[in-house]
Amino acid sequence: MLLPATGNSASMATKIPAEKSGKCQCETHHSKSILYQILNKEHGSETKRHQQHCSPHCCERSKGCPCLDRRRVVLKTPEATCRRASEVLLKTSTFIRNLPSFYHMPWEDQFVLIQQNWAPLFVLGMAQEGVDFDLREIPTTSLLEKILLNQSSTAMNELGSSSPGASFTEVQKMKNLLWKFWDLDISGKEYAYLKGIILFNSECHVLKCLPYVQSLQQEAQKALMEFISTTFHGSLSRFALILQLITSLRDIDADAIEELFFRPILVEATLNVLLLETLYVKPDWL
Protein backbone atom coordinates (compact mmCIF):
# COMPACT_ATOMS: atom_id res chain seq x y z
CA MET A 1 0.00 0.00 0.00
CA LEU A 2 1.30 3.45 -0.89
CA LEU A 3 1.69 5.79 2.07
CA PRO A 4 1.87 9.60 1.96
CA ALA A 5 5.38 10.96 2.46
CA THR A 6 6.08 12.33 5.91
CA GLY A 7 8.53 15.10 6.65
CA ASN A 8 11.25 12.61 7.59
CA SER A 9 10.68 10.39 4.56
CA ALA A 10 10.74 13.36 2.23
CA SER A 11 14.01 14.48 3.79
CA MET A 12 15.48 10.99 3.39
CA ALA A 13 14.43 10.90 -0.26
CA THR A 14 16.61 13.88 -1.04
CA LYS A 15 19.63 11.98 0.25
CA ILE A 16 19.37 9.08 -2.20
CA PRO A 17 22.58 9.03 -4.32
CA ALA A 18 22.14 9.69 -8.02
CA GLU A 19 23.54 6.29 -9.02
CA LYS A 20 20.90 4.50 -6.91
CA SER A 21 18.01 6.61 -8.14
CA GLY A 22 18.76 5.72 -11.78
CA LYS A 23 19.45 9.34 -12.73
CA CYS A 24 22.56 10.75 -14.24
CA GLN A 25 24.49 12.82 -11.72
CA CYS A 26 24.29 15.74 -14.15
CA GLU A 27 20.61 16.06 -13.21
CA THR A 28 21.01 16.09 -9.43
CA HIS A 29 22.46 19.53 -8.75
CA HIS A 30 21.40 21.49 -5.65
CA SER A 31 20.61 25.11 -6.49
CA LYS A 32 22.04 26.42 -3.20
CA SER A 33 25.40 24.67 -3.54
CA ILE A 34 28.29 27.10 -4.00
CA LEU A 35 30.26 24.38 -5.80
CA TYR A 36 27.34 23.81 -8.14
CA GLN A 37 27.15 27.50 -8.97
CA ILE A 38 30.87 27.52 -9.83
CA LEU A 39 30.61 24.40 -11.95
CA ASN A 40 27.41 25.53 -13.61
CA LYS A 41 28.94 28.87 -14.55
CA GLU A 42 31.96 27.21 -16.14
CA HIS A 43 30.23 24.15 -17.54
CA GLY A 44 26.60 25.09 -18.10
CA SER A 45 26.63 24.57 -21.85
CA GLU A 46 28.18 21.09 -21.52
CA THR A 47 25.61 20.05 -18.90
CA LYS A 48 22.74 21.24 -21.08
CA ARG A 49 24.17 19.38 -24.09
CA HIS A 50 24.57 16.22 -21.99
CA GLN A 51 20.97 16.36 -20.76
CA GLN A 52 19.69 16.79 -24.32
CA HIS A 53 21.51 13.76 -25.72
CA CYS A 54 21.58 11.31 -22.78
CA SER A 55 18.53 9.23 -21.91
CA PRO A 56 17.41 9.15 -18.25
CA HIS A 57 19.07 5.75 -17.81
CA CYS A 58 22.28 6.40 -19.76
CA CYS A 59 24.34 6.41 -16.56
CA GLU A 60 22.57 3.50 -14.90
CA ARG A 61 25.68 1.30 -15.05
CA SER A 62 28.19 4.09 -14.67
CA LYS A 63 29.82 5.27 -11.46
CA GLY A 64 29.19 8.86 -12.52
CA CYS A 65 29.78 11.30 -15.33
CA PRO A 66 31.14 10.95 -17.91
CA CYS A 67 28.55 8.38 -18.98
CA LEU A 68 29.30 5.04 -20.60
CA ASP A 69 29.28 6.46 -24.11
CA ARG A 70 31.91 9.03 -23.10
CA ARG A 71 34.37 6.56 -21.59
CA ARG A 72 37.50 5.86 -23.63
CA VAL A 73 39.58 2.69 -23.64
CA VAL A 74 42.86 1.43 -25.08
CA LEU A 75 44.38 -2.03 -25.38
CA LYS A 76 46.00 -3.43 -22.25
CA THR A 77 48.64 -5.24 -24.35
CA PRO A 78 48.79 -3.12 -27.54
CA GLU A 79 51.94 -4.60 -29.09
CA ALA A 80 50.73 -8.21 -29.11
CA THR A 81 47.10 -7.39 -29.94
CA CYS A 82 47.93 -4.96 -32.75
CA ARG A 83 50.22 -7.57 -34.29
CA ARG A 84 47.40 -10.11 -34.31
CA ALA A 85 44.97 -7.50 -35.67
CA SER A 86 47.39 -6.74 -38.52
CA GLU A 87 47.56 -10.45 -39.32
CA VAL A 88 43.77 -10.57 -39.47
CA LEU A 89 43.74 -7.59 -41.82
CA LEU A 90 46.30 -9.28 -44.07
CA LYS A 91 44.26 -12.50 -44.19
CA THR A 92 41.17 -10.45 -45.03
CA SER A 93 42.91 -8.84 -47.99
CA THR A 94 44.19 -12.27 -49.09
CA PHE A 95 40.65 -13.64 -49.03
CA ILE A 96 39.43 -10.79 -51.25
CA ARG A 97 42.41 -11.09 -53.59
CA ASN A 98 41.60 -14.77 -54.18
CA LEU A 99 38.08 -13.95 -55.41
CA PRO A 100 38.12 -13.56 -59.22
CA SER A 101 34.51 -12.38 -59.13
CA PHE A 102 35.60 -9.34 -57.12
CA TYR A 103 38.04 -8.20 -59.81
CA HIS A 104 35.46 -8.66 -62.56
CA MET A 105 33.73 -5.54 -61.25
CA PRO A 106 34.69 -1.94 -62.12
CA TRP A 107 37.25 -0.47 -59.73
CA GLU A 108 34.64 2.08 -58.58
CA ASP A 109 32.48 -0.78 -57.28
CA GLN A 110 35.49 -2.44 -55.68
CA PHE A 111 36.23 0.83 -53.88
CA VAL A 112 32.65 1.14 -52.59
CA LEU A 113 32.52 -2.46 -51.37
CA ILE A 114 35.83 -2.13 -49.52
CA GLN A 115 34.85 1.21 -48.02
CA GLN A 116 31.48 -0.03 -46.82
CA ASN A 117 32.40 -3.53 -45.65
CA TRP A 118 35.98 -3.66 -44.40
CA ALA A 119 34.94 -3.20 -40.75
CA PRO A 120 32.51 -6.16 -40.55
CA LEU A 121 34.95 -8.27 -42.55
CA PHE A 122 37.70 -7.42 -40.08
CA VAL A 123 35.57 -8.29 -37.04
CA LEU A 124 34.56 -11.55 -38.72
CA GLY A 125 38.26 -12.29 -39.23
CA MET A 126 38.92 -11.55 -35.55
CA ALA A 127 36.23 -14.06 -34.64
CA GLN A 128 37.64 -16.72 -36.98
CA GLU A 129 41.17 -16.29 -35.63
CA GLY A 130 39.95 -16.30 -32.01
CA VAL A 131 41.49 -12.89 -31.23
CA ASP A 132 40.34 -11.71 -27.82
CA PHE A 133 41.77 -8.65 -26.08
CA ASP A 134 41.78 -6.88 -22.73
CA LEU A 135 41.08 -3.20 -22.28
CA ARG A 136 42.35 -0.43 -20.06
CA GLU A 137 40.17 2.57 -19.39
CA ILE A 138 41.69 6.00 -19.85
CA PRO A 139 41.18 8.08 -16.68
CA THR A 140 39.39 11.34 -17.31
CA THR A 141 40.15 14.63 -15.62
CA SER A 142 37.11 15.88 -13.71
CA LEU A 143 35.83 19.40 -14.20
CA LEU A 144 36.70 20.30 -10.60
CA GLU A 145 40.30 19.17 -11.13
CA LYS A 146 40.56 21.31 -14.23
CA ILE A 147 39.24 24.36 -12.37
CA LEU A 148 41.55 23.82 -9.42
CA LEU A 149 44.48 23.40 -11.78
CA ASN A 150 43.64 26.77 -13.37
CA GLN A 151 43.12 25.31 -16.84
CA SER A 152 41.54 27.73 -19.28
CA SER A 153 38.37 26.97 -21.24
CA THR A 154 40.41 26.68 -24.43
CA ALA A 155 42.75 24.16 -22.84
CA MET A 156 39.81 22.13 -21.55
CA ASN A 157 38.19 22.07 -24.99
CA GLU A 158 41.44 20.96 -26.60
CA LEU A 159 41.85 18.26 -23.98
CA GLY A 160 38.37 16.94 -24.63
CA SER A 161 38.66 17.02 -28.41
CA SER A 162 42.02 15.25 -28.49
CA SER A 163 41.10 12.51 -26.03
CA PRO A 164 42.83 9.27 -27.12
CA GLY A 165 41.37 5.82 -27.18
CA ALA A 166 38.18 4.29 -28.56
CA SER A 167 34.60 4.47 -27.35
CA PHE A 168 34.04 1.94 -24.56
CA THR A 169 30.46 1.37 -25.71
CA GLU A 170 31.47 0.57 -29.30
CA VAL A 171 34.37 -1.67 -28.29
CA GLN A 172 32.21 -3.57 -25.81
CA LYS A 173 29.64 -4.09 -28.56
CA MET A 174 32.36 -5.65 -30.69
CA LYS A 175 33.59 -7.91 -27.87
CA ASN A 176 30.04 -9.13 -27.19
CA LEU A 177 29.60 -9.95 -30.88
CA LEU A 178 32.85 -11.92 -30.96
CA TRP A 179 31.66 -14.07 -28.07
CA LYS A 180 28.39 -14.78 -29.87
CA PHE A 181 30.33 -16.12 -32.86
CA TRP A 182 32.50 -18.24 -30.59
CA ASP A 183 29.45 -19.63 -28.77
CA LEU A 184 28.08 -20.84 -32.12
CA ASP A 185 31.42 -22.51 -32.94
CA ILE A 186 31.38 -21.36 -36.57
CA SER A 187 33.27 -23.64 -38.95
CA GLY A 188 35.82 -22.56 -41.55
CA LYS A 189 33.39 -23.07 -44.45
CA GLU A 190 30.72 -21.05 -42.69
CA TYR A 191 33.19 -18.20 -42.20
CA ALA A 192 34.05 -18.29 -45.92
CA TYR A 193 30.40 -18.06 -46.93
CA LEU A 194 29.81 -15.29 -44.39
CA LYS A 195 32.68 -13.25 -45.81
CA GLY A 196 31.14 -13.57 -49.26
CA ILE A 197 27.73 -12.45 -47.97
CA ILE A 198 29.27 -9.43 -46.28
CA LEU A 199 31.66 -8.40 -49.07
CA PHE A 200 29.03 -8.58 -51.80
CA ASN A 201 26.72 -6.22 -49.99
CA SER A 202 23.60 -5.74 -52.10
CA GLU A 203 22.56 -2.77 -49.94
CA CYS A 204 25.20 -0.63 -51.67
CA HIS A 205 22.78 0.79 -54.21
CA VAL A 206 25.36 3.11 -55.80
CA LEU A 207 27.12 0.15 -57.42
CA LYS A 208 27.35 0.15 -61.21
CA CYS A 209 26.93 -3.62 -61.37
CA LEU A 210 24.41 -4.02 -58.56
CA PRO A 211 22.56 -7.01 -60.13
CA TYR A 212 25.87 -8.87 -60.40
CA VAL A 213 26.68 -8.19 -56.74
CA GLN A 214 23.17 -9.25 -55.71
CA SER A 215 23.57 -12.55 -57.53
CA LEU A 216 26.92 -13.18 -55.82
CA GLN A 217 25.43 -12.50 -52.39
CA GLN A 218 22.49 -14.80 -53.11
CA GLU A 219 24.90 -17.56 -54.16
CA ALA A 220 26.82 -17.20 -50.90
CA GLN A 221 23.62 -17.26 -48.84
CA LYS A 222 22.36 -20.33 -50.67
CA ALA A 223 25.67 -22.13 -50.18
CA LEU A 224 25.65 -21.31 -46.46
CA MET A 225 22.06 -22.50 -46.05
CA GLU A 226 22.77 -25.78 -47.87
CA PHE A 227 25.91 -26.41 -45.83
CA ILE A 228 24.09 -25.80 -42.54
CA SER A 229 21.12 -27.93 -43.62
CA THR A 230 23.40 -30.82 -44.52
CA THR A 231 25.75 -30.56 -41.54
CA PHE A 232 23.11 -29.90 -38.90
CA HIS A 233 20.42 -32.31 -40.16
CA GLY A 234 18.08 -29.83 -41.82
CA SER A 235 17.89 -27.38 -38.93
CA LEU A 236 17.64 -23.81 -40.20
CA SER A 237 17.57 -22.14 -36.79
CA ARG A 238 21.36 -21.88 -36.94
CA PHE A 239 21.11 -20.20 -40.33
CA ALA A 240 18.71 -17.61 -38.89
CA LEU A 241 20.99 -16.93 -35.92
CA ILE A 242 23.99 -16.41 -38.18
CA LEU A 243 22.08 -13.98 -40.40
CA GLN A 244 21.18 -11.99 -37.28
CA LEU A 245 24.87 -11.78 -36.44
CA ILE A 246 25.57 -10.41 -39.92
CA THR A 247 23.12 -7.59 -39.24
CA SER A 248 24.92 -6.84 -35.97
CA LEU A 249 28.28 -6.86 -37.75
CA ARG A 250 27.17 -3.99 -39.96
CA ASP A 251 26.51 -1.87 -36.86
CA ILE A 252 30.14 -2.04 -35.69
CA ASP A 253 31.78 1.38 -35.64
CA ALA A 254 34.71 1.47 -38.08
CA ASP A 255 36.28 4.48 -36.34
CA ALA A 256 36.47 2.54 -33.07
CA ILE A 257 38.32 -0.29 -34.83
CA GLU A 258 40.83 2.09 -36.40
CA GLU A 259 41.40 3.94 -33.15
CA LEU A 260 41.83 0.81 -31.04
CA PHE A 261 43.93 -1.44 -33.29
CA PHE A 262 45.57 0.67 -36.01
CA ARG A 263 45.89 4.35 -35.11
CA PRO A 264 49.57 4.11 -34.01
CA ILE A 265 50.38 2.42 -37.34
CA LEU A 266 48.23 4.40 -39.74
CA VAL A 267 48.67 7.88 -38.25
CA GLU A 268 46.62 9.89 -40.81
CA ALA A 269 45.72 7.09 -43.24
CA THR A 270 42.52 5.06 -43.21
CA LEU A 271 42.10 1.32 -43.37
CA ASN A 272 39.90 1.24 -46.46
CA VAL A 273 42.59 3.13 -48.43
CA LEU A 274 45.26 0.81 -47.03
CA LEU A 275 43.27 -2.22 -48.14
CA LEU A 276 42.77 -0.76 -51.60
CA GLU A 277 46.52 -0.25 -51.92
CA THR A 278 47.14 -3.80 -50.74
CA LEU A 279 44.67 -5.18 -53.28
CA TYR A 280 46.14 -3.10 -56.14
CA VAL A 281 42.81 -1.49 -56.87
CA LYS A 282 43.61 2.01 -55.67
CA PRO A 283 42.56 4.63 -58.27
CA ASP A 284 45.05 7.31 -59.36
CA TRP A 285 43.17 10.17 -57.74
CA LEU A 286 43.48 8.75 -54.17
Side-chain angles (χ1 to χ4, degrees), residues 14-126:
T14 62
K15 298 179 181 179
I16 298 177
E19 61 270 18
K20 293 185 179 180
S21 65
K23 293 184 178 180
C24 178
Q25 291 185 11
C26 294
E27 303 175 7
T28 58
H29 300 305
H30 298 283
S31 59
K32 295 183 180 180
S33 167
I34 295 177
L35 178 60
Y36 164 67
Q37 293 176 21
I38 296 175
L39 297 181
N40 189 53
K41 182 178 179 181
E42 299 289 336
H43 200 48
S45 59
E46 182 176 342
T47 301
K48 182 178 180 180
R49 186 165 58 251
H50 173 77
Q51 291 175 344
Q52 288 175 343
H53 296 285
C54 285
S55 65
H57 304 290
C58 70
C59 296
E60 187 173 359
R61 294 172 55 194
S62 177
K63 295 180 180 179
C65 293
C67 297
L68 281 177
D69 59 343
R70 300 174 66 182
R71 291 166 60 185
R72 313 294 291 182
V73 292
V74 293
L75 295 169
K76 185 174 289 187
T77 55
E79 184 176 348
T81 306
C82 288
R83 182 173 61 251
R84 295 206 65 190
S86 298
E87 292 172 354
V88 169
L89 190 65
L90 180 60
K91 289 183 178 181
T92 300
S93 66
T94 301
F95 169 81
I96 298 173
R97 191 162 48 241
N98 290 334
L99 292 174
S101 53
F102 181 77
Y103 290 101
H104 288 165
M105 293 182 287
W107 66 258
E108 296 93 338
D109 285 1
Q110 297 175 31
F111 174 77
V112 171
L113 291 176
I114 291 295
Q115 187 178 44
Q116 296 294 322
N117 303 307
W118 74 260
L121 282 172
F122 173 79
V123 176
L124 194 61
M126 295 277 283

Side-chain angles (χ1 to χ4, degrees), residues 3-12:
L3 298 176
T6 63
N8 291 337
S9 61
S11 176
M12 292 175 61

Side-chain angles (χ1 to χ4, degrees), residues 1-271:
M1 182 176 67
L2 297 176
L3 298 176
T6 63
N8 291 337
S9 61
S11 176
M12 292 175 61
T14 62
K15 298 179 181 179
I16 298 177
E19 61 270 18
K20 293 185 179 180
S21 65
K23 293 184 178 180
C24 178
Q25 291 185 11
C26 294
E27 303 175 7
T28 58
H29 300 305
H30 298 283
S31 59
K32 295 183 180 180
S33 167
I34 295 177
L35 178 60
Y36 164 67
Q37 293 176 21
I38 296 175
L39 297 181
N40 189 53
K41 182 178 179 181
E42 299 289 336
H43 200 48
S45 59
E46 182 176 342
T47 301
K48 182 178 180 180
R49 186 165 58 251
H50 173 77
Q51 291 175 344
Q52 288 175 343
H53 296 285
C54 285
S55 65
H57 304 290
C58 70
C59 296
E60 187 173 359
R61 294 172 55 194
S62 177
K63 295 180 180 179
C65 293
C67 297
L68 281 177
D69 59 343
R70 300 174 66 182
R71 291 166 60 185
R72 313 294 291 182
V73 292
V74 293
L75 295 169
K76 185 174 289 187
T77 55
E79 184 176 348
T81 306
C82 288
R83 182 173 61 251
R84 295 206 65 190
S86 298
E87 292 172 354
V88 169
L89 190 65
L90 180 60
K91 289 183 178 181
T92 300
S93 66
T94 301
F95 169 81
I96 298 173
R97 191 162 48 241
N98 290 334
L99 292 174
S101 53
F102 181 77
Y103 290 101
H104 288 165
M105 293 182 287
W107 66 258
E108 296 93 338
D109 285 1
Q110 297 175 31
F111 174 77
V112 171
L113 291 176
I114 291 295
Q115 187 178 44
Q116 296 294 322
N117 303 307
W118 74 260
L121 282 172
F122 173 79
V123 176
L124 194 61
M126 295 277 283
Q128 184 175 11
E129 298 300 319
V131 180
D132 198 4
F133 51 90
D134 295 321
L135 301 171
R136 176 175 60 83
E137 186 170 351
I138 301 175
T140 57
T141 305
S142 70
L143 179 61
L144 180 57
E145 288 177 303
K146 294 173 184 176
I147 293 174
L148 294 178
L149 290 173
N150 259 339
Q151 290 181 302
S152 65
S153 299
T154 303
M156 287 191 291
N157 290 336
E158 290 176 355
L159 181 62
S161 62
S162 61
S163 177
S167 163
F168 169 81
T169 303
E170 293 299 330
V171 174
Q172 193 60 45
K173 185 193 304 182
M174 181 170 61
K175 285 179 69 71
N176 292 339
L177 190 55
L178 288 174
W179 280 104
K180 288 181 180 179
F181 274 103
W182 295 332
D183 286 342
L184 282 176
D185 194 21
I186 306 293
S187 67
K189 283 191 175 181
E190 287 174 310
Y191 274 118
Y193 297 140
L194 284 173
K195 290 176 183 177
I197 294 172
I198 291 173
L199 177 62
F200 300 114
N201 183 4
S202 60
E203 295 179 5
C204 299
H205 298 296
V206 298
L207 297 174
K208 291 184 176 181
C209 56
L210 181 59
Y212 176 64
V213 173
Q214 289 174 332
S215 66
L216 292 173
Q217 188 180 62
Q218 290 171 0
E219 286 182 19
Q221 288 180 341
K222 182 180 179 181
L224 175 62
M225 184 174 62
E226 291 177 350
F227 175 80
I228 292 176
S229 179
T230 301
T231 307
F232 297 92
H233 311 292
S235 174
L236 294 181
S237 59
R238 181 181 179 86
F239 179 71
L241 286 173
I242 291 178
L243 290 185
Q244 289 178 1
L245 292 181
I246 292 178
T247 302
S248 299
L249 274 174
R250 299 196 187 281
D251 291 333
I252 295 296
D253 183 34
D255 291 338
I257 294 175
E258 285 195 33
E259 191 64 42
L260 189 67
F261 299 108
F262 298 102
R263 181 53 53 213
I265 304 172
L266 295 175
V267 188
E268 297 298 330
T270 56
L271 276 183

